[in-house]
């Protein structure tokens, strides 16, 4: 059974960079697409971006200028960096998997709350 | 960007009743690339339906999806206590966007 686990700081200062890592266990990161999604407290879901195990990326146009997603196949991990954060970036960040580019998200991590505050 | 509008915002029903949730897209969703997710408090969303009408692995047959183009529906034939949750639709045919959610609450 594939499992995903987010990790990273729970508190980030305004204007700094939010960094999260998703560790995949129970299966290989290869041959799949991996994505980041966020959910502000009490609100809906927003797709941030996706990466194929080979490294090709696809980002939400509204966040593209601030987002970098990378993959480390040797560690079965992929990562998110979001720079110049503000309070509006406070959210639960989920990592998830999809088996092809045009596919729904079939496995999700439990989510990691990141608060942007000084 | 394809905007998904879900209705109603909240659905108040009793266990055993039928729930009908709507998801309307601002433009046609190609190849019925539409999914439905269930989310309970403090949990990650769970995939229920993909391709507008295909049930994901392990999803009970009381959940069904239908629709094409711009109008999609999730139906729960008989609500079980564990079905009271928030439901999101998502399109993945043109970038990826989510609806704002429908809360199914106990009446």
């Amino acid at each position: 059974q594939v499992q995903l686990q987010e990790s990273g700081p729970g508190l980030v200062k305004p204007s700094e960079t939010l960094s999260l890592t998703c560790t995949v266990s129970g299966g290989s990161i290869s041959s799949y697409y991996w994505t980041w999604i966020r959910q502000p407290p009490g609100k809906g879901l927003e797709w941030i971006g996706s990466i194929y195990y080979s490294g090709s990326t696809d980002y939400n146009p509204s966040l593209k200028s601030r987002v970098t997603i990378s993959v480390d196949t040797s560690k079965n991990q992929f990562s998110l960096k979001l720079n110049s954060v503000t309070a509006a970036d406070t959210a639960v960040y989920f990592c998830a998997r999809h088996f092809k580019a045009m596919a729904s998200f079939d496995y999700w991590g439990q989510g990691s709350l990141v608060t942007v505050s000084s | 960007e394809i905007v998904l509008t879900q209705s109603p915002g909240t659905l108040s029903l009793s266990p055993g009743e039928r729930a009908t949730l709507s998801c309307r897209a601002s433009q046609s969703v190609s190849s019925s690339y539409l999914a439905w997710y269930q989310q309970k408090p403090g949990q990650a969303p769970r995939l229920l339906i993909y391709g507008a009408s295909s049930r994901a692995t392990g999803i009970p047959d009381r959940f069904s999806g239908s629709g094409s183009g711009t109008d999609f529906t999730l139906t729960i034939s008989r609500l079980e206590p564990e079905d009271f949750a928030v439901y999101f639709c998502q399109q993945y045919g043109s970038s990826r966007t989510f609806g704002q959610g429908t809360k199914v609450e106990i009446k």
Side-chain angles (χ1 to χ4, degrees):
Chain A
Q1 176 80 341
V2 174
Q3 293 187 313
L4 291 76
Q5 178 67 58
E6 305 89 351
S7 59
L11 181 64
V12 181
K13 289 182 168 56
S15 80
E16 295 190 343
T17 297
L18 179 159
S19 296
L20 291 172
T21 295
C22 183
T23 300
V24 180
S25 59
S28 174
I29 204 166
S30 298
S31 303
Y32 291 98
Y33 292 80
W34 305 92
T35 202
W36 288 98
I37 295 152
R38 70 180 182 178
Q39 184 172 37
K43 296 189 177 180
L45 298 159
E46 180 180 34
W47 171 70
I48 299 170
S50 298
I51 190 165
Y52 191 42
Y53 79 100
S54 62
S56 61
T57 54
D58 184 18
Y59 297 135
N60 185 326
S62 68
L63 297 169
K64 187 173 184 175
S65 64
R66 299 194 292 131
V67 173
T68 302
I69 297 176
S70 59
V71 64
D72 186 338
T73 54
S74 67
K75 294 182 179 178
N76 241 30
Q77 294 177 334
F78 62 105
S79 298
L80 167 70
K81 290 189 185 302
L82 179 66
N83 60 35
S84 305
V85 297
T86 69
D89 295 309
T90 294
V92 175
Y93 286 77
F94 296 99
C95 57
R97 187 192 85 166
H98 43 126
F99 73 95
K100 58 180 182 177
M102 301 296 214
S104 50
F105 307 130
D106 55 0
Y107 287 95
W108 294 65
Q110 65 185 26
S112 177
L113 174 62
V114 179
T115 301
V116 179
S117 174
S118 55
Chain B
E1 174 181 294
I2 296 179
V3 177
L4 299 178
T5 302
Q6 293 187 239
S7 61
T10 302
L11 201 49
S12 299
L13 295 168
S14 300
E17 289 194 296
R18 182 184 187 91
T20 303
L21 288 67
S22 173
C23 177
R24 178 161 291 177
S26 60
Q27 53 189 284
S28 184
V29 176
S30 58
S31 303
S32 295
Y33 285 146
L34 187 111
W36 290 93
Y37 300 86
Q38 176 194 69
Q39 187 179 34
K40 297 180 180 179
Q43 296 184 17
R46 176 175 70 143
L47 177 65
L48 299 176
I49 301 287
Y50 64 93
S53 61
S54 297
R55 271 188 301 276
T57 303
I59 301 303
D61 60 8
R62 64 179 181 273
F63 291 92
S64 63
S66 63
S68 64
T70 60
D71 288 296
F72 298 88
T73 301
L74 174 70
T75 301
I76 310 171
S77 59
R78 286 174 50 88
L79 283 164
E80 297 287 342
E82 62 267 28
D83 299 336
F84 292 91
V86 178
Y87 293 83
F88 294 96
C89 58
Q90 180 226 348
Q91 67 80 23
Y92 46 95
S94 174
S95 189
R96 295 157 186 90
T97 52
F98 291 88
Q100 82 280 16
T102 290
K103 182 179 182 180
V104 178
E105 65 175 23
I106 299 176
K107 187 174 182 180

